[in-house]
Each structure stands twice: as structure tokens, then as C-alpha cells.
Amino acid sequence: MKRIAGLLVVVLAVAGVLWADSALSINGAGATFPYPMYSKWFDEYHKKNANLQINYQSIGSGGGIKQVTEGTVDFGATDGPMNDEQLKAYQDKHGSGILHFPTVLGAVVPTYNIPGVTAELNFTPDALAGIFLGKITKWNDPAIIDANKGVKLPADDIVVVHRAEGSGTTYCWTDYLSKVSDEWKTKVGKGGSVNWPVGLGGKGNEGVTGTIKNTPDSIGYVELIYAESNKIPYGNVKNASGVFVKASLAAVSAAAAGAAKEMPDDFRVSITNAPGKAAYPISTFTWLLIPEKFSDAGKRDAIKGFVKWMLADGQNYAEALSYAKLPKEVVAKEVLAISKIQ
Amino acid sequence: MASTTTTVPSAGPVAGSRSFLSRLRQGDEIAHIITFLFAVSVVLVTLLLVFDLWQGSALPRHKFGFDFFRTSVWDPIFDHFGALPFIYGTLVTATVSLLIAVPLGIGAAIFLAELAPARVSDTLEFFIDLLAAVPSVIYGLLGVFIVVPLMRQYIQPALKHSFGFLPLFQGPAYGVGFLTAGIVLAIMVIPYIISVSREVLLSVPRDQREAALSLGATRWESTWKVVVPFARGGILGSIFLALARALGETMAVTMVIGNTPAISASLFSSGYSIAAVIANELTEATSNLHYQSLIELGLALFLLTFVLNGLARLLIVATSQRGAGMGNA
Amino acid sequence: MNSRLRWRKFVSGFMLAMTGVCALVSVSVLFLILGYLVFHGGTSISWNFFTKLPAPVGETGGGMANAILGSGKLLLLAALIGVPVGFFGAIYLAEFSGSTTAFVVRYAADLLNGVPSIVIGIFAYSLVVLPFKHFSTLSGGFALGLMMIPITLRSTEEFLRAVPNALREAAMALGASKSKTIATVIVPAAYRGILTAVLLAFARVAGETAPLLFTAFGNRFWSQGWNQPTAALPEMIYRYAISPYDDWHRQAWAAGLVLLGLILIINIVARAILSRGIAVPRT
């Protein structure tokens, strides 16, 4: 017994001794979609600033908004901008506001598994809305066949797969569907979690991809990065200008460029179904949520320094990870906005 | 002779033993109090948890009242929340998992306690305990990679072929669903049943077995009719542990159940459980009503566990033979 | 030998064989899992894995050293909370309490056991994180400790009850007080079972992710002391497994393997050190 007690004391001491207090530690929480990007950025930034540790954990956009409002983390991150109600809640709790800073862009693509079909399918907005509403039930439905002349589609039932948990990916997808289909807007709406009319729920992009791979005649939506890393087939979507566009970093940037002209000052904007011939219609910004007022000057300067770096050098890391860079106009506007952080 | 009253000396052995006794009693008193405090802390923590859940679900309780438990719709955008599909899914998956795990688990425990030589039994037990340590995420992933394809390609079609006349085995089979979730849960809870049951069976005194055998019982009869009833309490306790785990398991279930709030008689159907929906939507819930409705679901699960435990205990009392060993669930 | 006896003998042999089958099925599932983990994650286990911090995507040579230490710290805290409450509570239930209190406590423990791990996480969040306004190892350990309590309590109680009354009576006959009987006779007699109960509870919480999401939070760097967010193995497995990168997937499997290995080691060490108590010979 004494031996165990002694062992315990030693272990506790060792664990407690790891209290090297020289590094400044900042915590952030939020969206899962940009997690690979942010973890790369914070690691790189740490290499340049050994005294600064920025710890970001992806607990979900909703989680990020909640925790930054509660004050348990220093900054948040979200795939869907905070709505007015949430902004007010933050203002009421802290006495000052919170700022949105777009960081990178991403896209959501429709992926499918139809036995015998290897071609890239074209999807019109009506087709996608109809499939996910449960109104288009077979692959050889005219709405799908018309856009894919020359492809032999079977008369099988479509199996719809969506995300089980709330996510920014779902937010982007449903935001797009709400814009292109009035029926979707009134029946289902847009959000991180919705009441899906049909379909199975897969957990995470991994879950959706896995389910699609294992289920013939299925269709679902995943992030572009995911589709590319896992080399799964995904279709082209018809954009607002009538062109079938395949998701790519260039197409996403094109969508953002269109929105850059009318970017509101608080950067809260949706770029789904953006105008422009080359624009991919299911694209989205993702934002960092940074409080306007910091009580700790060290943390404030650290974060300002990071945002500056992120808008300049940081952007160069994006494409290697399949995220699209911010358009120049947006970057310029954000640099000006940094001064709002006090 | 004048009668002299002799006083029995109050000092001496009697008084000495009284103070010794009181010291003993004090030692016992202290032990009694300390252990009581620990035991009561369990109840207090549970009550605090319920209180926390109750407070945290004020909005939906006022808005929906009892309709929460009768509605089947779960719509975070239009703020309609109903718990029925989740309660159904939780019950179905827990039932399926216990139906599989209890016979398998008790059978294995009997084997390990009665038949296997000591070394073999200890080694195998070691490994079975490891099963309890496999992270639930890994169970979920293995479910997705191994169990789901197996179900979809072989097991579900086979069941449909042989038993398709039952409503349990009808409908499209995607691999995910109630049955798959039940199977994965069964694998997860089996270590608890085996581990605890085996230990309790091992502690049944030898003379019980010998008495049965000497009366002419076969090995099996001695085990099943004498030893197992003697260990009944512990075995039932292990089943309670397993039930609790099956009701509350989050990660593994959400990866293989299909995550559709649906109520269906078919075991092949995709469904949802309370723990799974809480895990999936809690971190992303942006509206207060959504968040608190999920908390109310947690409260609903609490209620469900309460009722199930109560029913199980009633069942045990109703079926217990008088004077059967240590039945003490 | 009449036919009835033949039938009974047949049933006996058959049922006992079936129990063997049950055991075989249960154990083979484990070996399947282990095999899968080794096959997919074995290649990622290297010295780096145990000593380096996580590397960003695309860079090799990263490890999970902080997660391993984090899990260790969390489990230590969990044990400090879960084991005493479970152990002493069980002693109360088995030795001191009346049947009503015992009923209530057992019921409460079963209820607590059935609470989804994420709800326990939320509970710990509102109790330990919100008041201090930051995530910490402490809150994670608290959440895991709560989860350990029911398993430890219920199982230990069963094993204490399984000790034959004859032992208790013998001790009392020799003049020992109740507390002394418990400490020197009953608990040592139930040692094996109690150890099993504690290790089982330990194993259970070692693999839990959900309660840690809102308490320990996770950390890409070393966690300092007990009041900072910390990484933990199950949480890393979760994040890596649902990521889009193959390298991270392999690391997730490797982490699963390491976690199992850790529990195995703890099991072996605990049994070795603590089994030198008075063991009632196996009947």
C-alpha cells in the first residue's frame, strides 16, 4: 500500500511540474470544417513565435459561438455567421461586440455511387432540391436525365445520405437549397441541423462517404477537401449563370470574388449561388470570431498579430490543403478591420 | 450479624470492558458515518444532475409540456421538437443488445467459471476485460467498416429470406439501422456481463456444487439449477450494468444506426437514439430552444432508465424463489 | 442406463459445449478488434508517436505524446474520485445500511450509469468549467470520475456480499469490531472481485470521448498543470478518425492500439501489485 502511495505522489509531482509558465496560451473553439487549415496555421505560427501557443479545438460552429459568448475560450470560429440574436446575446453579456473575420473558403460537393456509372453527372438546382426533398425518387427521373444526355442511368431508387450531426457543411448545403428552391425554404429551411425529409444520417464526412461507398444508388454531400483526398466521384452543379461547374479552388474563388464587391462591413455574407460564369454555387466563407475588447493586452496583441499573418503569409498555405484563398479585396478590407480589436 | 450490603465494584472488568466497547463502537460509528457519506454522495450527485437537467430544459418544458413525449417531429429550423422516435430507438437498440449479450455473456461466464482450467480462465478473462477498454469511437468505426457491410451483404438478406414474413425483418436493408446498432452495443456490453458474472460464479462455495452432484445431478444441472441461482444477485447486477451502458452509449451507436428519427417495426430500418441525437446536435445547436430540447431529451432518458430499472426490479422480485441465495438487485 | 439419464447427460454435455461456444465467440471478437487495430495502426506506432506533439496535416513525424500524458492525468483524477466513492459506498451498502437506503443508493447508481456520457460532460461543464471560465484537466477528470462511480459501487457491493457470512461471524466471535472485520477480513476476501470492478470501471472511462469535449477540451500542445485544457487519446482518435487524411486515420488506429496497451499494462501492474492480499482460495 505504501508503495502505491509513493508512486502516486511521484506521478502527481511529475505531472504538476510540467508547469512551464513561459508560454502564452490562447484557446479557441469552433467549426470542424476548417480544422486542418487552422491546425496548420497555429502550428506554423507557433514555430515563428515560440512563446505563443494557440490551441484550437473543433467542437462545432454552434459550440464555438456558445463558448466564445460564455467566455471560456478567447476566440471562436464558425462556418455559418452569427445571427443578430446571437450577436445581441454576446453584446449583452460582455458589454462589447464580436467581430467576424473570414479566413478561407471551401465548397460542398454532391457525391454519389451509382453502379455502372463512371461519368461525372450534372445536377441542376431543381434536381438536387427534388432529390433531397424526396420528390425525385429514381435515378432515371427526367430532371436528372435531361442534364445528363448520353449517360445511362438505372431505374433504381435513390438513397439519400446527409450529415447526422449539426455542421457547417450542412449549413452551406441547406443555405444553397433554400436559395434555389422555395419549397425547400418553406418546408425545411437552412441551418446546421435540419429536419431532413428523407435519407440516412452519416456521422462526419467520413460517415457520409463510408455510407455512400457501401450503398449502391446513393447520393450525399461532402466538403470538397474530403472528396479530393478520398478520390470519390462528385458531380457538377449548375450555377446562377446557367453553367455546369465542377467544384475547384478556382471556381470557389470566383464565387467569392463576386461577393467581394458587396461585402458588408461585418463580413457576414452568404456566397452560395453567387453570380458569375465560373463561380461554383455551393461555396462558403468560414470565419474567426474575435471579441472587440480584450482585457488581456498580451492576448489581444497576440491575436492581432496572428490575424495579420493569416491574411498575408497564412493564405499561402491554403491551397495545399484544398482550401481556397480569400480574394484580394476581402483581404484588404479585413486588414483595415483589425484595428477594431482593442 | 448485621447485613452488610456489598457493593459490586463499579470499577474493574465490567467498567473496563464498557469503555473498551464504547471505543469499539466509536470506531464502528466513524466507519458507518464515513461510508454513509460516500454512499449518500452518489444519490446527491444524481439528484444534482437531474436538477441541472430540469433547469436546463425550462424553455421546451413550458412550450411543449407533455406533447414533447407524444410528438414525432424533430425540426430545429421551425422549432418543433418531439421525443418519441428517440425514445423508441433507445428502447429497441437496448433490447436487441441485451437479447444478444445476456445469453452469450452468461454462457461464456459459466464456461470460464465452471469448465475452463484456472489459467485459461484467467487469461481469457484478461482479454475480455480489454474489450471494455476499447474506445467507443473505435467500436463505432469498426461497426462502420466491418459490421455494416456484413449486415448489408449477408446477414440482412439472409434474415429477410428466412424470416421475411415477420414485420421485424422487412423493408430495405442498408446495413445501418436498429439491428446493427443492437449488435454493436451487444459487443460493447458483453465484457461487463462476463466479467462480473464470472467472478460471482467463482465465489459460490464449493459445497453447493458438490451437494448437487452428490444428489445425482449432471454437471450442467448442478451449474444451472444450483450455482447460477446462488449467484443470481451478482449476475442480475451485471445485467443492470450492461443495460445502463446500452441505454447511454453515444458514439458507437450514432455511427451505425442511420440517424433518422423514424419509428418502424422493422429492425432493418434506420433509426435514432436519445444519446446519439444529443451527441450529434448539442455542440452545433444555435438556438436556445434547440439546445434545451436536447437537454430535455437527456431528462427523458433519465426517466426511461428510471422506469426500466423499476420494471426490471419488479420482475426480479416477482420471479425470485424464496430462499434463493443472495438475490439482491 | 435408462433413457432419461442418457437424455440428461446429453443435455449436460450439449449445454456445456454451448457455453464454450459463447466464450469462443466473445473472445474471438476481441481478437478480431485487436487484429484490425494492429493491421491498420501498427505501422504508425514509433518512437515519435510516444514522444512528439501532434504535427499539422501533411507533416510526418508527429505523435501523441501530449495525449498519452493527458489521458494519464485524467485517469488519475477519475480514479481519485471514482474509486473511493465507489469503494466506501459499497462497503456501506454491503455492511451497514438498511434495505431502504441500500435500494435508493443502488437505484441512483444505476440511473447515473445510464446517463449518456455527453450529458455527464455537460454537467461537469456547468459545475467546473463555467465557474472558472476555462476548460481544464480537472473538469475532465471530474466527469470521468462520475462515470466510474456506478460501476465500481455496484460491482464492489456484489463482491462484498458474496463473501460468506461464516467469515463475518468468525471474526465477530473473535471479538473484532465491525470496522476491523471489514478492513481485515471481508475486503481482503473480496479483493479479486473489487480489483476487477475497479479495473472495469477504469477501462470504461479510459475510452470515453464525449465527456471530454466540453471539459478537457483538447490541446495541440503540452497541457500545463491541472487547470489547462488537455489532449486525451480517445479525443484525438475521434478527431483524426473523422478527418479526411489517410495519415491521420492511421494515427487514429495506432492511438486506439496504444490506449488498449495502456489499459493492459495497468491491468497487469495492478493485479501484480495488489493481489498479494489474503486471497480466499478458489472454490
Side-chain angles (χ1 to χ4, degrees):
Chain A
M1 259 318 183
K2 282 212 184 113
R3 218 180 299 178
I4 303 158
L7 206 67
L8 220 70
V9 170
V10 168
V11 169
L12 272 166
V14 164
V17 147
L18 290 173
W19 197 300
D21 238 339
S22 56
L24 174 63
S25 195
I26 296 183
N27 291 306
T32 42
F33 162 64
Y35 180 64
M37 182 82 262
Y38 292 176
S39 64
K40 177 87 180 172
W41 274 345
F42 295 130
D43 277 339
E44 288 297 320
Y45 200 66
H46 173 64
K47 284 189 197 150
K48 294 184 171 31
N49 300 276
N51 279 343
L52 177 63
Q53 287 179 355
I54 306 184
N55 173 29
Y56 177 79
Q57 296 298 325
S58 51
I59 61 176
S61 301
I65 295 176
K66 211 171 168 62
Q67 297 312 318
V68 79
T69 311
E70 290 288 348
T72 50
V73 292
D74 302 304
F75 68 92
T78 174
D79 293 329
M82 285 168 81
N83 58 29
D84 294 331
E85 195 188 319
Q86 290 162 334
L87 284 175
K88 184 166 183 308
Y90 185 89
Q91 178 84 29
D92 288 341
K93 191 157 175 131
H94 293 255
S96 55
I98 186 160
L99 301 164
H100 286 71
F101 281 92
T103 50
V104 283
L105 291 146
V108 184
V109 299
T111 160
Y112 48 86
N113 171 7
I114 312 173
V117 173
T118 47
E120 261 171 29
L121 294 179
N122 291 328
F123 291 104
T124 58
D126 290 332
L128 285 177
I131 293 174
F132 278 84
L133 276 169
K135 308 190 87 174
I136 298 182
T137 51
K138 290 200 189 292
W139 277 113
N140 63 346
D141 189 289
I144 309 177
I145 289 199
D146 282 343
N148 293 287
K149 301 221 170 18
V151 181
K152 189 160 189 330
L153 289 164
D156 299 335
D157 286 328
I158 304 181
V159 180
V160 174
V161 184
H162 55 78
R163 287 285 285 275
E165 78 276 29
S167 77
T169 319
T170 302
Y171 185 87
C172 181
W173 184 257
T174 51
D175 182 38
Y176 169 73
L177 287 178
S178 297
K179 280 193 185 161
V180 299
S181 161
D182 275 335
E183 190 176 353
W184 183 273
K185 189 168 181 188
T186 42
K187 216 172 156 197
V188 185
K190 75 167 190 246
S193 304
V194 298
N195 187 17
W196 296 96
V198 288
L200 306 169
K203 187 152 176 72
N205 281 301
E206 173 85 41
V208 172
T209 320
T211 309
I212 294 184
K213 274 198 188 140
N214 282 324
T215 316
D217 298 317
S218 56
I219 181 174
Y221 60 89
V222 291
E223 292 156 19
L224 174 62
I225 310 160
Y226 210 81
E228 287 197 342
S229 327
N230 286 271
K231 303 194 185 5
I232 51 182
Y234 54 94
N236 311 320
V237 183
K238 194 176 190 183
N239 66 11
S241 305
V243 182
F244 284 102
V245 179
K246 180 166 180 166
S248 67
L249 297 181
V252 170
S253 297
K261 300 186 190 83
E262 290 154 13
M263 178 71 79
D265 282 338
D266 63 356
F267 297 109
R268 297 189 296 153
V269 70
S270 152
I271 55 171
T272 48
N273 215 26
K277 281 221 177 68
Y280 181 69
I282 320 183
S283 309
T284 178
F285 279 110
T286 181
W287 294 262
L288 280 178
L289 298 169
I290 303 186
E292 261 178 8
K293 275 207 177 37
F294 273 92
S295 49
D296 184 326
K299 286 189 179 172
R300 178 199 63 212
D301 293 334
I303 292 200
K304 282 173 91 155
F306 172 75
V307 176
K308 245 191 219 119
W309 176 86
M310 180 270 289
L311 290 169
D313 291 337
Q315 292 292 308
N316 297 330
Y317 290 99
E319 307 215 321
L321 293 174
S322 296
Y323 292 91
K325 294 162 74 151
L326 297 168
K328 287 200 189 37
E329 304 87 340
V330 177
V331 170
K333 224 173 164 170
E334 285 190 57
V335 171
L336 291 174
I338 298 181
S339 55
K340 285 197 199 157
I341 307 174
Q342 279 143 18
Chain B
M1 247 195 297
S3 54
T4 45
T5 48
T6 47
T7 48
V8 176
S10 50
V14 176
S17 60
R18 202 182 296 142
S19 62
F20 179 60
L21 268 172
S22 59
R23 263 186 287 130
L24 269 183
R25 249 183 279 124
Q26 273 185 333
D28 276 356
E29 282 303 310
I30 294 178
H32 192 136
I33 292 175
I34 293 182
T35 54
F36 174 74
L37 285 176
F38 276 110
V40 149
S41 68
V42 176
V43 181
L44 285 177
V45 157
T46 312
L47 285 175
L48 193 65
L49 190 88
V50 177
F51 180 67
D52 209 35
L53 290 177
W54 180 263
Q55 274 209 312
S57 60
L59 262 179
R61 271 186 297 113
H62 290 139
K63 185 161 181 199
F64 301 119
F66 275 113
D67 277 344
F68 189 72
F69 297 100
R70 286 197 288 248
T71 331
S72 302
V73 180
W74 188 264
D75 195 330
I77 305 294
F78 295 111
D79 283 344
H80 296 137
F81 296 107
L84 212 51
F86 308 104
I87 297 180
Y88 179 78
T90 309
L91 279 173
V92 169
T93 49
T95 311
V96 171
S97 78
L98 282 184
L99 281 175
I100 300 175
V102 170
L104 263 183
I106 298 186
I110 293 177
F111 177 80
L112 288 175
E114 302 292 308
L115 290 176
R119 279 254 197 84
V120 171
S121 178
D122 283 341
T123 326
L124 285 183
E125 180 54 40
F126 211 63
F127 285 118
I128 288 179
D129 282 349
L130 268 191
L131 264 181
V134 176
S136 38
V137 183
I138 300 250
Y139 271 117
L141 291 172
L142 290 173
V144 170
F145 293 141
I146 303 182
V147 183
V148 170
L150 220 81
M151 292 294 289
R152 199 175 46 83
Q153 283 168 334
Y154 302 112
I155 302 188
Q156 281 175 343
L159 282 171
K160 225 175 179 172
H161 188 77
S162 324
F163 298 107
F165 55 90
L166 291 169
L168 284 175
F169 299 118
Q170 288 171 359
Y174 298 125
V176 294
F178 292 121
L179 188 59
T180 318
I183 292 177
V184 173
L185 275 178
I187 303 176
M188 294 179 80
V189 302
I190 249 190
Y192 300 102
I193 300 182
I194 297 182
S195 193
V196 174
S197 298
R198 172 181 166 270
E199 282 294 340
V200 181
L201 284 170
L202 281 175
S203 65
V204 172
R206 193 180 223 160
D207 43 7
Q208 296 287 322
R209 291 185 189 81
E210 289 174 352
L213 288 172
S214 71
L215 287 171
T218 61
R219 195 79 191 277
W220 169 252
E221 283 165 355
S222 132
T223 308
W224 187 246
K225 299 202 171 143
V226 177
V227 178
V228 169
F230 202 86
R232 209 160 153 264
I235 296 181
L236 287 169
S238 77
I239 298 181
F240 275 112
L241 282 180
L243 173 69
R245 178 93 203 251
L247 288 173
E249 177 49 44
T250 340
M251 284 298 176
V253 171
T254 177
M255 289 183 173
V256 297
I257 198 174
N259 301 309
T260 322
I263 302 182
S264 161
S266 164
L267 286 179
F268 293 162
S269 156
S270 146
Y272 226 152
S273 80
I274 294 180
V277 73
I278 296 178
N280 281 336
E281 296 191 2
L282 198 65
T283 50
E284 285 277 349
T286 39
S287 83
N288 260 335
L289 189 63
H290 189 186
Y291 189 84
Q292 296 201 7
S293 297
L294 289 166
I295 302 283
E296 190 173 355
L297 269 182
L299 204 58
L301 183 61
F302 220 85
L303 208 67
L304 195 69
T305 318
F306 194 83
V307 168
L308 279 177
N309 266 299
L311 285 176
R313 279 178 167 78
L314 278 174
L315 195 73
I316 291 165
V317 166
T319 59
S320 77
Q321 310 154 290
R322 274 171 227 236
M326 322 216 158
N328 222 336
Chain C
M1 202 193 293
N2 62 12
S3 62
R4 172 132 182 90
L5 183 60
R6 253 202 296 269
W7 171 249
R8 283 169 57 211
K9 277 196 146 165
F10 169 72
V11 167
S12 177
F14 178 72
M15 292 308 284
L16 291 173
M18 288 307 287
T19 61
V21 168
C22 291
L24 195 71
V25 167
S26 312
V27 174
S28 43
V29 167
L30 172 81
F31 282 117
L32 193 78
I33 296 177
L34 273 179
Y36 201 89
L37 283 177
V38 169
F39 182 68
H40 283 266
T43 47
S44 289
I45 298 200
S46 60
W47 189 241
N48 273 344
F49 190 87
F50 291 98
T51 52
K52 291 269 174 64
L53 290 176
V57 183
E59 278 177 44
T60 52
M64 293 205 187
N66 60 343
I68 297 176
L69 183 65
S71 271
K73 284 157 78 175
L74 285 167
L75 287 176
L76 193 67
L77 272 179
L80 281 175
I81 296 177
V83 173
V85 176
F87 181 68
F88 289 115
I91 292 181
Y92 178 76
L93 287 181
E95 305 297 322
F96 289 110
S97 79
S99 55
T100 345
T101 335
F103 181 76
V104 170
V105 175
R106 264 187 230 116
Y107 216 92
D110 280 337
L111 287 182
L112 194 61
N113 207 10
V115 177
S117 43
I118 190 157
V119 176
I120 300 239
I122 306 284
F123 181 58
Y125 170 78
S126 58
L127 231 62
V128 187
V129 174
L130 274 184
F132 296 109
K133 284 249 188 289
H134 60 126
F135 300 102
S136 60
T137 314
L138 264 169
S139 55
F142 177 70
L144 292 181
L146 278 183
M147 295 183 72
M148 274 187 85
I149 292 178
I151 304 179
T152 321
L153 183 85
R154 292 287 263 123
S155 311
T156 307
E157 190 211 342
E158 291 302 335
F159 296 127
L160 286 172
R161 276 191 192 281
V163 174
N165 266 330
L167 283 178
R168 287 185 186 83
E169 289 165 2
M172 294 248 189
L174 288 171
S177 71
K178 199 155 189 185
S179 40
K180 201 166 174 97
T181 316
I182 298 173
T184 56
V185 176
I186 303 184
V187 168
Y191 234 150
R192 269 178 53 126
I194 297 178
L195 196 59
T196 306
V198 171
L199 289 173
L200 208 60
F202 214 68
R204 161 99 199 259
V205 296
E208 284 288 343
T209 322
L212 297 178
L213 292 176
F214 275 132
T215 49
F217 189 58
N219 202 332
R220 303 280 296 176
F221 306 98
W222 291 107
S223 169
Q224 301 152 355
W226 299 94
N227 222 4
Q228 290 287 322
T230 178
L233 280 173
E235 174 252 330
M236 293 293 270
I237 295 176
Y238 173 64
R239 296 202 192 285
Y240 276 23
I242 62 175
S243 74
Y245 307 107
D246 246 351
D247 179 49
W248 278 10
H249 290 167
R250 269 178 283 121
Q251 288 205 9
W253 294 118
L257 207 56
V258 167
L259 188 62
L260 278 185
L262 249 126
I263 299 295
L264 187 73
I265 294 176
I266 294 178
N267 254 300
I268 298 177
V269 167
R271 284 190 200 273
I273 294 183
L274 298 177
S275 72
R276 270 184 272 115
I278 307 167
V280 172
R282 246 179 77 158
T283 46

